[in-house]
Amino acid sequence: MQYDAITLDTNIFVADGLRLESGILAQMSQFKSRSEKIILSEVVLREVTQKLQERAGEARRDLKKALRAASTSGIIDSGKADDLQKLYDLALPEGDAAEARIKQFQQATGFETITSRDVEVSDLVDMYFGLKPPFEKSEAKKAEFPDAIALISINEWAKAHGLKVLAISLDEGWKRYAEGSEFLDVEGDLSRALATFQEHTERAQKFLEELLQALARNEQPEMMGQIVDELADDVGALSPYPEAVTPFECDIDQVDLAFTDFTFNSDEVILVNVGREEIVAKVGIEVEARAEASYSLSIRDSIDNDYVSIGGGSVDVPVKFKASALLTLIGPFGERPEEVEIDRIELVDAPRYINLGVIDIFEAEYEE
């Protein structure tokens, strides 16, 4: 299927961690030089901006808390308090920070904003009471008004221009709406959606398969060393939520991951950007690491109906998880893989949760 434009739902931005400058979302920049357009509904744009603002606000609060702790803990000389305040003053207000990131994303991708001013209220009313997609019979259907406005405006834009749009969304309402539209299709995976826009991929696919085989045979030690170093940095920067099995109430501090090894899955390769001298591909990987975390245990006091601490400890366990690596390769893409360089490798699709297994209560340090 040939598409003339691509658009994203808010949940795609959220699923990729609102990382506009890296990862899969950064690959949207290819549309600035392509004949196909990238369009964003005004509704989606406002929702994304709001979420960026919320995240920036959290970061400002965390920065202020960290600087205060640095000052009061004594690790920073008390005479340097003014310097700490100057550092905090350098942080942009959350609204400005969010707007700046949206502006940079627009400059990088050249997206066009589809306004909602031409959406007919009567159409929304008919869809709402007629339970037409994206509305459904549920108590939360009023929350679907933003989706309805976005979908109508995008569909009307496509209809007016006679163009076919591929929308990327995880929302079932978007998928059901697209089933009744001749101008709109929906795909749930951004990387697979980007693959549909690539041309002449046979050579790139064959070259990438040969490169992965060469890496598996240890024929590219320098390149493998670069991959390991960059993956190790990305794994170490992860902050997954911990899960564990224990008979007590368990509070686990942030998990620290240390990369140990990885394996490419050559059956999971998606070409997301193919150029004459550049290939960007998402490749499935399995990561091995060590997870270290401290924990505290507590039990409920049946008299006070409150939790009482009984001690704690730490764990250091091996873990495995599936993710993907976004490889950016620089050509020439001939018969010699050793002539190709890795410009960048990024860990993407990492899990939000890490299972630490069973916490051995006999190893915990109990309080008397």
Side-chain angles (χ1 to χ4, degrees), residues 8-21:
L8 307 181
D9 190 3
T10 306
N11 53 45
I12 298 299
F13 287 93
V14 175
D16 205 39
L18 296 171
R19 298 187 304 162
L20 306 185
E21 304 84 6

Side-chain angles (χ1 to χ4, degrees), residues 213-251:
Q213 291 170 5
L215 288 169
R217 294 191 298 264
N218 296 318
E219 295 176 359
Q220 299 288 328
E222 186 175 341
M223 182 179 292
M224 179 59 80
Q226 180 184 352
I227 292 173
V228 167
D229 289 344
E230 296 194 29
L231 283 180
D233 289 342
D234 284 357
V235 169
L238 294 177
S239 299
Y241 293 103
E243 294 179 329
V245 177
T246 173
F248 302 112
E249 289 296 323
C250 184
D251 184 23

